[in-house]
Amino acid sequence: MSTVKDRLTADMRAALKARDELTTSTLRMALAAIGNAEVAGKAKRELSDEEALAVLTKEAKKRREAAAAFADAGRVDQAAKERAEGEVLDRYLPRQLDDEALAGIVATALAEGGFTGKAQMGPAMKAAQAAVAGQAEGGRVAAEVRRQLGL
């Protein structure tokens, strides 16, 4: 079992004993998402820590988007619940880069690859995503790559 999954399970059990309903339900949901990812495809397999973190990142993004949608619809209580679930998931994710650090990493990745112009957007994104390594959302990375390529 991966260490991320072990930590989620242990924290879920602790939250269950402490009767912390929000944390318990959020961690159950996260473990279910990881379990679904493990059985997806042709053969059941154990996810690596990086793959488990990718699943958690996707779930946290879903919570942020749902919170924004509920807030726009005037459902403040539901938006607050989604934000709280996102905060629980954020405890398990790597710290996100600020805009200045992201710009520096993207600039280095683009310089090392010699990327210039619109035609090289795909390879430039691949290099930038590898350099960032999950410390920033793909949308932020894409926006920074576009800005630095002058698109």
Side-chain angles (χ1 to χ4, degrees):
M1 195 183 297
S2 69
T3 56
V4 171
K5 194 171 173 183
D6 288 338
R7 185 172 161 216
L8 288 169
T9 303
D11 289 353
M12 186 198 66
R13 288 183 180 145
L16 192 60
K17 288 178 184 177
R19 298 185 187 267
D20 182 352
E21 292 179 20
L22 174 70
T23 304
T24 302
S25 66
T26 302
L27 295 181
R28 276 187 178 148
M29 172 275 309
L31 286 166
I34 290 172
N36 288 339
E38 288 176 337
V39 298
K42 294 182 181 179
K44 184 176 192 252
R45 63 185 182 86
E46 194 73 32
L47 293 183
S48 68
D49 280 348
E50 292 80 25
E51 292 169 322
L53 285 175
V55 171
L56 290 179
T57 301
K58 188 182 293 185
E59 291 299 319
K61 182 178 179 186
K62 285 181 189 177
R63 297 300 165 280
R64 282 191 297 278
E65 291 172 351
F70 282 128
D72 290 345
R75 301 207 36 209
V76 180
D77 54 335
Q78 213 36 45
K81 181 180 182 276
E82 294 289 338
R83 275 193 288 278
E85 288 178 355
E87 290 170 6
V88 170
L89 292 174
D90 286 342
R91 296 180 207 159
Y92 301 93
L93 298 174
R95 191 177 61 79
Q96 296 291 298
L97 296 171
D98 62 5
D99 291 337
E100 187 177 309
L102 177 62
I105 291 173
V106 169
T108 303
L110 294 179
E112 288 175 358
F115 299 111
T116 58
K118 185 177 185 176
Q120 296 178 326
M121 179 66 181
M125 270 300 296
K126 188 173 183 177
Q129 285 286 31
V132 170
Q135 295 178 17
E137 287 184 4
R140 286 182 59 212
V141 175
E144 185 60 32
V145 169
R146 276 191 217 99
R147 188 186 71 77
Q148 290 190 20
L149 289 178
L151 305 179

